[in-house]
């Protein structure tokens, strides 16, 4: 199964991925878009073309890990709706979570100084509405409680049971 967590930079994707990771048992892994870019994306830049290559690389990596029996929790910006659409066919089991955040709050917080740079999605580049997310979380930067993480896990499991895939 692949849990694909998407949203703007600083929206809480990695935070949610790490907390969900703790809740699932068995063979599991986190694939973080920033870490993939840092370690295995072969110096791709932030142009639209390079962003698309990086997104495809991450999707392919997740598919490989899924075929090896991992529960894959992927946190990625994911600005390409066609990739999101294709993911629904590509993976045996797929659950997409969109973390919706207020851009002005993100710019104010600007924790990693991302919104001070060039070619930033949400600032200079459009962040399109995601394709058919299974769950949307409105993040107002109030820390997730254990109960909230448990509810997200329960929804993932229930949706997958209903699909008879996991």
């Amino acid at each position: 199964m692949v849990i694909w967590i998407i949203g703007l930079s600083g929206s809480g994707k990695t935070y949610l991925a790490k907390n969900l990771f703790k809740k699932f048992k068995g063979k599991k892994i986190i694939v973080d878009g920033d870490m993939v870019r840092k370690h295995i994306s072969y110096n791709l830049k932030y142009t639209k073309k390079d962003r698309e290559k990086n997104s495809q690389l991450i999707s392919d990596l997740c598919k490989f890990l899924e075929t090896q029996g991992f529960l894959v929790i992927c946190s990625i910006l994911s600005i390409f709706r066609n990739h999101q659409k294709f993911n629904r066919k590509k993976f045996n089991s797929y659950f997409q979570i969109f973390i919706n955040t207020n851009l002005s709050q993100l710019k104010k917080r600007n924790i990693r100084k991302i919104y001070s740079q060039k070619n930033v999605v949400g600032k200079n580049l459009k962040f399109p509405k995601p394709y058919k997310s299974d769950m949307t979380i409105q993040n107002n930067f109030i820390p997730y409680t254990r109960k909230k993480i448990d509810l997200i896990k329960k929804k993932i499991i229930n949706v997958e049971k209903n699909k008879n895939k996991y």
Side-chain angles (χ1 to χ4, degrees):
M1 172 184 210
V2 175
I3 301 170
W4 193 260
I5 304 171
I6 64 177
L8 288 167
S9 295
S11 63
K13 299 179 299 291
T14 301
Y15 181 83
L16 178 58
K18 288 177 180 178
N19 278 282
L20 280 175
F21 183 84
K22 294 174 191 175
K23 295 292 182 178
F24 284 93
K25 300 204 182 315
K27 200 171 168 182
K28 58 191 175 176
I29 190 167
I30 293 175
V31 174
D32 183 84
D34 291 335
M35 297 310 289
V36 171
R37 181 177 278 281
K38 180 178 177 181
H39 295 289
I40 60 173
S41 67
Y42 309 107
N43 297 317
L44 292 173
K45 306 296 182 217
Y46 291 91
T47 64
K48 186 175 180 182
K49 185 177 179 182
D50 280 358
R51 286 176 183 276
E52 194 161 8
K53 284 181 188 175
N54 192 54
S55 179
Q56 188 63 51
L57 172 80
I58 291 169
S59 182
D60 291 345
L61 174 61
C62 290
K63 179 60 180 176
F64 169 72
L65 293 167
E66 181 192 42
T67 65
Q68 299 304 304
F70 282 91
L71 164 68
V72 181
I73 303 171
C74 180
S75 55
I76 179 174
L77 196 69
S78 193
I79 61 171
F80 300 101
R81 287 176 53 104
N82 60 326
H83 287 182
Q84 296 162 17
K85 187 176 184 178
F86 185 66
N87 282 350
R88 295 195 171 279
K89 297 175 186 168
K90 181 178 194 167
F91 299 114
N92 296 328
S93 185
Y94 179 76
F95 190 91
Q96 182 173 295
I97 300 172
F98 169 47
I99 301 180
N100 192 12
T101 49
N102 182 297
L103 183 59
S104 62
Q105 279 184 305
L106 288 172
K107 286 179 180 178
K108 243 187 245 181
R109 288 178 74 233
N110 202 14
I111 292 173
R112 296 181 314 185
K113 307 296 180 218
I114 290 169
Y115 292 95
S116 307
Q117 300 173 17
K118 293 181 181 179
N119 291 326
V120 176
V121 175
K123 177 184 166 192
N124 312 100
L125 304 169
K126 186 180 177 190
F127 184 84
K129 182 180 176 192
Y131 177 80
K132 291 188 180 179
S133 293
D134 296 293
M135 177 181 240
T136 298
I137 298 170
Q138 184 62 47
N139 187 358
N140 296 318
F141 304 108
I142 298 167
Y144 295 109
T145 62
R146 284 188 186 142
K147 189 175 180 180
K148 176 80 170 178
I149 299 294
D150 287 340
L151 288 171
I152 294 168
K153 177 187 174 189
K154 186 177 180 180
K155 179 159 182 159
I156 292 167
I157 290 169
N158 286 337
V159 167
E160 289 310 305
K161 280 182 185 176
N162 290 335
K163 289 180 183 176
N164 294 321
K165 290 186 178 181
Y166 191 65

